[in-house]
Amino acid sequence: MLGRDAIHFIFAEVGFERLDTHIQQFSELHEFMEGNRFNFCGLYENCRYGAAGQFVCVANALYVNTAFTRRNRI
């Protein structure tokens, strides 16, 4: 489906701590998405931790297919 440009957006929960193997790591997903012509749009609904909430452990990442943006001039 990715190769046919049938998917316009991907919204995925990602983690930022390598030791947390129960969630897709942002770095790995980001590399995969760029390799499949998706642009990163932003992070949403961050889950923070630390005494002052200074660290992000989980968030939702939004990607858009570059073929979709070219067709729709987004």
Side-chain angles (χ1 to χ4, degrees):
M1 292 184 78
L2 290 179
R4 294 190 330 254
D5 293 325
I7 298 173
H8 299 157
F9 298 94
I10 292 182
F11 192 64
E13 186 176 63
V14 294
F16 299 92
E17 304 210 3
R18 289 218 180 269
L19 297 178
D20 188 357
T21 59
H22 295 84
I23 190 165
Q24 175 65 54
Q25 294 299 300
F26 174 77
S27 58
E28 294 170 357
L29 179 67
H30 185 70
E31 184 176 336
F32 176 81
M33 297 306 290
E34 282 190 324
N36 284 281
R37 300 181 328 268
F38 277 77
N39 288 336
F40 175 67
C41 294
L43 293 172
Y44 303 89
E45 300 169 340
N46 299 338
C47 176
R48 296 187 164 272
Y49 70 99
Q54 68 269 36
F55 305 112
V56 176
C57 58
V58 176
N60 292 316
L62 177 62
Y63 287 85
V64 63
N65 186 323
T66 57
F68 176 74
T69 58
R70 282 192 307 272
R71 280 194 308 263
N72 295 288
R73 299 185 186 196
I74 296 177

